[in-house]
Amino acid sequence: MNRTRELSGQLSDEETELAPSHMAAATGDMPTYQIRAPTAALPQGVVMAASPGSLHSPQQLAEEATRKRELRLMKNREAAKECRRRKKEYVKCLESRVAMLEVQNKKLVEELETLKDICSPKTD
DNA sequence: CCTTCGATTCGTCACCATAG
DNA sequence: CTATGGTGACGAATCGAAGG
């Protein structure tokens, strides 16, 4: 399955700016979504392998490889879920920030208008 | 009832960054 | 160096609405 990323390294400006977690909300006053997963206990059914030193036959090696792959897939599945959850949360944060700023902007515009009214010379 | 179609969700792969 | 975790991209499955 050769799905090479021809666009690799080509993060859009949006993506870069949105960068979650470690970069957090650039503007600070948002509860950054830097939440760690609650105690990374292994998901159900994960059993640690016998120590690698004890594997010999090709059969055992194959089983070990399969086991490793399944473990990796399971972990990645969980990681993807968590990643998506965090991303959703982050987007929510951004949306509420937008809402906040819109309100704030509206207030400022109104204030500006009243100040203009006050300051402008009466022309009648 | 279908059928179609856009949106959403999920699992997987490839890649990158980081830790050890 | 290898192992591991995070995440963008992709394809498949599923859902819900709209139209016939």
Side-chain angles (χ1 to χ4, degrees):
Chain A
M1 196 174 298
N2 186 10
R3 209 190 290 148
T4 41
R5 283 215 289 193
E6 41 219 81
L7 299 179
S8 79
Q10 179 250 26
L11 275 190
S12 73
D13 289 347
E14 285 169 1
E15 283 164 342
T16 314
E17 185 176 321
L18 278 186
S21 66
H22 48 289
M23 311 219 199
T27 39
D29 48 353
M30 229 51 190
T32 137
Y33 83 114
Q34 252 244 71
I35 315 125
R36 279 301 62 179
T39 63
L42 286 173
Q44 357 74 308
V46 175
V47 180
M48 277 306 155
S51 56
S54 63
L55 293 171
H56 296 103
S57 72
Q59 161 82 315
Q60 281 174 315
L61 288 175
E63 282 174 7
E64 171 69 1
T66 306
R67 205 201 102 265
K68 273 189 177 174
R69 176 184 154 75
E70 281 169 0
L71 185 58
R72 163 74 184 147
L73 288 181
M74 180 187 273
K75 283 186 176 180
N76 189 244
R77 197 152 51 228
E78 295 303 314
K81 283 179 189 166
E82 182 60 17
C83 181
R84 285 166 181 148
R85 188 194 66 74
R86 258 179 292 163
K87 189 173 180 177
K88 270 188 179 177
E89 196 177 325
Y90 178 64
V91 168
K92 267 193 192 171
C93 281
L94 287 184
E95 285 169 348
S96 66
R97 179 166 169 75
V98 166
M100 257 178 42
L101 289 173
E102 279 173 350
V103 167
Q104 189 180 340
N105 188 53
K106 197 179 164 204
K107 282 183 184 165
L108 288 171
V109 168
E110 285 170 5
E111 190 183 338
L112 177 63
E113 289 309 313
T114 54
L115 287 175
K116 273 196 211 165
D117 279 355
I118 291 171
C119 295
S120 67
K122 298 283 176 232
T123 58
D124 45 72

